Amino acid sequence: MSNPLHEAVPPVERRLRATRMQMETAIAVVGCLIVLVADTQSLSLIPLLPQLEKQYGLTPSQAGWALSAVGLAGAAWAPTLTRLGDRLGMRRLLLAGLAVSLLGNLLSAVAHGFPLFLVSRALLGLSAAGPLVYAILRARSTSEQRTSRGVGILTVAIGLGIAVSYLLSGAIIQANGSVRTVLWVTTALSAVALLAAWAILPDAEARSTDPIDWVGAAGVSAGLFCIVLALGEGNTWGWSSGRIIALLAGGALIFAVWAWYEGRHAHPLINIRRVLNRTATPAFFVAGLCSALAVYTNLAQVVYLQMPRAAAGYGLSQTVLQVAYVLSAISVAVVIGGFVTGPLVTRFGPRAVVSGAAILAAAGFFFLAADHDQTWQYVVANILWGFAFAFAYGGASAAYLIDATPSEAAMYASANTVISAGIGSLGAGVFTAILTSAPTIPKTPIPQPAVFDRLFLYAGLVSLVMLGLALVMRRPRFVPADPSTDLAADMEPGAGPAPVPTA
């Protein structure tokens, strides 16, 4: 005779139960694969820009638009899609987003010419899978320790994503592969992520019955789009051009009106009064600064390491694959740091962990600012930065997730997306502005070597800003989800508790 209790359990919950993993661990493991794929499809083409232009017949401007389309679409739609998941089902919307990502990768691999390639890259930004994973983790989490551990595992994925992205590109080109080869690999990875999520990723139990704030959704999307577009195109259009000034001013005005509107709306997209506190707000800004520094410092290192010494008089004349090996030091440290971030946050609290991370980052960048003409110096600095990123990003993510109640998970993830996307998009623009701020070497387009001293010095100063944000951060209070929803941790009656896997 069939067991009625067993039949009442949804299939995904039964499959999750069969893995004998805790709910939060299972969510983080699937999320790890999703984040890895998202990083790979976003970062793997960056070192292949010349090959991309040649193989797809793109102008430099078109190639830039194709690469920035992922971030622009994500910035515009992720907050809205995350809140839609709160109403329609986070699992359902996440699976739909991963299916769209699979389609986008497939179209990228088979595209010929600019229009289809641009559309395919924009589709990758519509998944909102990353924020939804964090929202599901918080909505189903039953303890502060489990939340912090899940965040640590997701942070590990970021480190792996950096390594896989650059090593994948370098290895494929070294083996006489092409940009399309890279895109076919990312297509296969996105299919695996979709299958894994369908198999064992649970849904958030609660559903919001509040109406969707479509006006607020349109406002935040328009504001983010204006700002991210301006920062992405500032170097191409000119930072003092009318278009850039209009976009920045327009974005700021839209956000001012949006904040006023959200504060007075009965069912806001983001409850401004709730998230503006000494726990969540510093955490959002720290996460954004981590993203901006990651892009900014990677670009600075790539340019210097690949600079041909014979022509410039400085640089290390490294290949794409050699640069990937140097940057992989960041990944190794992020992976190791991600595994210990959860216990550190549980033991000492987010403020102490993020403060220590900011000091580590500042030490590494000031070290590079003093001297950066040997490969080992980059490896040492990258190890420090990798640990700093893991502790800062993981600690900040844990802080805002713990501060949220289970029913607020999607709203907090949306708020983090809005602030992090805005700050994170500064990385490339600020790097370009500093790189081009000084006169070049006479009769060449090559920047003066002193520019790189300033690049790393400013990164150290931004790390000190992160330290200031950490020092005002309060330790959050955790509100657990209903423990009865953690079906994966329960065994058959009388069988005892499921074993707890280590992180």
Side-chain angles (χ1 to χ4, degrees), residues 59-308:
T59 66
S61 176
Q62 289 175 334
W65 273 100
L67 292 182
S68 62
V70 180
L72 286 171
W77 287 102
T80 305
L81 294 173
T82 304
R83 290 310 304 274
L84 276 174
D86 205 19
R87 183 177 176 87
L88 304 178
M90 293 185 193
R91 170 182 161 86
R92 179 184 301 169
L93 206 63
L94 187 144
L95 291 177
L98 290 176
V100 170
S101 291
L102 175 59
L103 175 62
N105 279 305
L106 180 61
L107 291 177
S108 294
V110 301
H112 291 277
F114 177 62
L116 181 57
F117 190 70
L118 179 66
V119 170
S120 68
R121 298 298 292 175
L123 285 175
L124 299 179
L126 299 182
S127 73
L132 283 167
V133 165
Y134 281 91
I136 293 174
L137 172 65
R138 179 60 190 95
R140 297 299 296 266
S141 186
T142 56
S143 77
E144 179 179 342
Q145 181 180 9
R146 290 185 178 189
T147 303
S148 298
R149 183 172 59 184
V151 168
I153 295 174
L154 289 171
T155 304
V156 168
I158 297 174
L160 290 173
I162 296 170
V164 170
S165 299
Y166 291 118
L167 289 174
L168 176 69
S169 301
I172 287 176
I173 296 302
Q174 193 79 12
N176 296 320
S178 67
V179 174
R180 291 191 191 277
T181 310
V182 175
L183 292 171
W184 279 116
V185 173
T186 58
T187 301
L189 288 173
S190 62
V192 173
L194 175 59
L195 180 61
W198 172 84
I200 65 170
L201 186 70
D203 200 357
E205 292 294 312
R207 291 283 193 279
S208 172
T209 58
D210 294 340
I212 298 295
D213 175 18
W214 291 110
V215 174
V220 73
S221 297
L224 272 176
F225 183 86
C226 289
I227 291 174
V228 173
L229 178 60
L231 295 173
E233 296 299 323
N235 189 54
T236 302
W237 295 345
W239 291 101
S240 60
S241 69
R243 285 186 289 181
I244 295 299
I245 293 173
L247 283 170
L248 290 174
L253 179 60
I254 289 171
F255 270 119
V257 174
W258 174 81
W260 174 86
Y261 174 83
E262 291 292 283
R264 287 157 178 78
H265 195 273
H267 303 290
L269 182 75
I270 296 174
N271 189 332
I272 300 294
R273 296 176 182 175
R274 176 70 177 96
V275 301
L276 290 181
N277 59 58
R278 282 182 55 187
T279 297
T281 303
F284 296 149
F285 277 89
V286 167
L289 288 176
C290 283
S291 299
L293 278 175
V295 174
Y296 172 94
T297 56
N298 275 8
L299 287 171
Q301 291 190 54
V302 167
V303 171
Y304 194 93
L305 290 170
Q306 289 186 327
M307 187 70 69

